[in-house]
Amino acid sequence: MGLHPLEFSECYLDSPGFREKIKAHEAELDRTNRFIKELYKDGKNLINATKQLGMAQRKFAQCLGEFQFEYIGDAKTDDEKCIDESLQEFSSFLKNLEDQRELMMRNITETLMKPLEKFRKDHLGTVRAERKKFEKETEKYYSSLEKLLNMSAKKKEPQLQEADGQVETMRLHFQEESLDYVCKLQEIQERKKFECVEPMLAFFQTVFTFYHQGFELAKDFDHYKRALQINIQNTRSRFEGARSEVFELMKRIRETPQEYRQTSPISCEGYLYVQEKRPPPFGSSWVKRYSTYVKEQKILHMVTFDHRSGGKIGETESVTLKSCLRKTTDMLDRRFCLELDITDRPGTVLTVQALSEDDHKFWMQAMGGKEPVGRFLGRTYSKERGIDAQLDDVGLSFIKNSISAIEKRGIDDQGLYRVVGVNSKVQKLLLLMIDEKSNEVEMSTGEDWDVKTITSALKLYLRSLPEPLMTYGLYKDFISLAKGGSPESRIQAVHCLVHKLPERNRQVLGLLMKHLANVAAHSKQNLMTVANLGVVFGPTLMRPQEDTVAAIMDLKFQNIVVEILIEHHEKIFADAPESCPFSPAAPVLSAPTRQSKKQSRQNRPLAVYNPQALNIQSVSAVGDGSSLATDETSMGSNESVSSQSSSASASALASDMPEKSDRVLLSNSLSSGSNSGANKAGASCSDAGASGESQPASTTAASEKEKPEESVTSRKAKAVYPCEAEHDSELSFQVGAIFNAVTQSREPGWLEGELEGKKGLIPENYVEIL
């Protein structure tokens, strides 16, 4: 079990367990901060002390190999597993390079040192400042609370009201700060994965460029790097979606905190001040205890906990209640008091004090007191539904008509299902379809309804169903299968669970998955891959019954389930499985992780990896969102590496063909709608020279990049290493070949030129400009 999620509702209870969770998160961030500091120091050694490079590199590799990311929740996605294991992979690469002493640390400051230090200062430093504010507000609030509770009830009413108002203000400040601090802690815990690993990815690719004998490792790393970049961007996209959901939950709790107080029919909990009587002349004292009352057994468990004493948890005391009576101020000069008759101590009366009038009523009702009920005891929150969506014939007809119109008119539209329609038009379309109980709304011509209005209406309809399409009952089963097992076992488990859905639900789901598979088949035009569709439809088709941070952390697993349904819809919806070995309670095997493939060494250089030149952008629109945009939006350049589908990345890894110059990372060109480089993806050059050929100098590409730009209309270049083309768009050549009309290609690390009347791509680090 990793770090526990910090529920916003716990900010109002402020229990000892909640404080322990906060301390665990703080300790993990402190550990991360120390790790980054150490990594930064080691990186400086690599730059400033090349004579001690071997020693610094060993330390650097050791530091990476020993660190492991903690995670929130009870399971990780495959992307997160690859990210977690990435530091160990990096360490392994460094150890293999130990014998190579000559290394040019070009770009290390920009690609590694500055991003890590910026993350440490801008994010981890901010958390430290938030911690101090949180601790300060804690001290202020509980000090003022004790002062208020010790105030005589015989004081004038204006004085009491003024004191109550001051404590209430401090309480609000404390709870606001607690909410912000908890949100910040969890945000940094999730953010650090890609913020720490991505600079490391850039650094490692730079290191390999300058090694004379490093191409074997560089080629091996290239496959891993491409897959890891996709893992990082997928994790980033899921992080953005989860963060938006967390903010929405925090907003709802902030608006109505009383509805989210963690109570249940079985027990209730909170702080009580307990009067402890002492022998004369010492009188009595009041001790703050976190109390849990089990209603059925009438047992009150009390544990001593003081926020100002370092958060130490004292001994637990349990008593059985016989009755509960309100203690009036005539009998005791303190407000909000209760008198508890204890059955296991005959003749013993326990006096406790609640924190406020509402809290007093809450405990009175929970313990069976005679005070009138005035406290909210159960959660009744439910999302308002402006649309009466049902899986009836009208709804099925609407879904079919919507899919037909989308496939007929907009299957190639960029950002299909991600670009949202105007809210008023979407509502109007749904009302026409549902309120009139009519199938006569024409959506196929486009005269009244544009494609983004139809897609938004379809998503809103599915989200407005009384129960999600994949049902509450099977939600945990679907999430459980996505958290473990091999890809084959996941497909089999999804197949079984789908056929446990109600007939109409399965019918609609099958119809929708067939349509989404068709959308993904046109991803080169619409940019909506299986992974992107999973992000959009995960929260639409699946959702938990309760809104908690823990449930939000499972959003990434919803996406995985939807991806499986899209990619294997023909098998899953064809026939019911003969047998279902899948059981949610049974342990699942860990999914196999990608291992780097050790291949024979090929002596040639690798292009410099520069992530800034790639201009990779994270996906800005994630998930569905709880509301539709009021203005029309465009797709823009919001695609990223996550637009590579899971199957595409798997096939790239399985290939033995080495790809050069990070061409797999050119998915940012898709975001502008250009497919000019699509037919070149996967091409590479292999050595054509004999084994005795002289080795390429690692500084060739670097020295060329340092030259100022010149006119490219008549540039010539000379081949310094042989190359054999592995794609029609590339040129084959031997050492000494002269290229004419050499220009810079749109693809990083490649040139375009002419050789013997044929035009094609040339690896930039295989030639020198004449």
Side-chain angles (χ1 to χ4, degrees), residues 62-129:
Q62 180 183 359
C63 184
L64 289 174
E66 292 177 352
F67 186 80
Q68 187 174 3
F69 290 115
E70 290 290 349
Y71 60 95
I72 298 177
D74 59 355
K76 297 177 285 188
T77 64
D78 290 344
D79 292 316
E80 290 174 327
K81 290 175 183 177
C82 292
I83 290 177
D84 291 344
E85 294 165 0
S86 62
L87 296 183
Q88 284 71 31
E89 288 287 336
F90 295 151
S91 177
S92 175
F93 283 124
L94 266 183
K95 291 175 183 177
N96 285 307
L97 289 172
E98 181 57 34
D99 293 335
Q100 303 297 329
R101 297 286 182 175
E102 296 181 3
L103 177 67
M104 294 178 61
M105 303 300 294
R106 183 172 177 263
N107 288 337
I108 187 174
T109 300
E110 295 297 327
T111 59
L112 174 65
M113 311 302 290
K114 289 185 179 180
L116 283 179
E117 186 67 4
K118 185 176 185 299
F119 172 73
R120 189 180 70 84
K121 291 182 177 179
D122 294 354
H123 297 287
L124 297 181
T126 302
V127 171
R128 287 197 170 193

Side-chain angles (χ1 to χ4, degrees), residues 143-240:
S143 296
S144 62
L145 180 62
E146 289 194 3
K147 184 177 179 181
L148 173 69
L149 296 177
N150 286 321
M151 181 180 292
S152 173
K154 296 180 180 179
K155 287 186 176 292
K156 295 181 179 180
E157 187 62 24
Q159 291 178 311
L160 293 176
Q161 291 178 357
E162 181 180 1
D164 287 345
Q166 292 175 350
V167 171
E168 179 64 17
T169 300
M170 291 184 181
R171 182 184 67 81
L172 292 176
H173 288 167
F174 165 70
Q175 291 174 349
E176 286 285 331
E177 187 59 36
S178 180
L179 286 170
D180 292 338
Y181 183 53
V182 164
C183 184
K184 192 68 177 178
L185 277 177
Q186 298 189 114
E187 177 183 343
I188 299 301
Q189 293 285 14
E190 292 293 298
R191 179 186 291 275
K192 68 181 180 182
K193 296 179 181 179
F194 51 81
E195 291 284 2
C196 292
V197 175
E198 203 162 31
M200 289 304 309
L201 188 62
F203 163 75
F204 272 81
Q205 192 61 28
T206 303
V207 169
F208 286 131
T209 302
F210 300 101
Y211 274 103
H212 186 65
Q213 296 289 335
F215 184 68
E216 177 191 2
L217 291 174
K219 180 180 65 175
D220 190 35
F221 182 77
D222 191 55
H223 292 278
Y224 180 78
K225 176 205 64 185
R226 295 196 307 271
L228 181 59
Q229 187 69 51
I230 294 173
N231 299 143
I232 292 171
Q233 291 292 58
N234 288 343
T235 303
R236 188 197 299 273
S237 300
R238 290 162 181 159
F239 161 77
E240 294 292 344

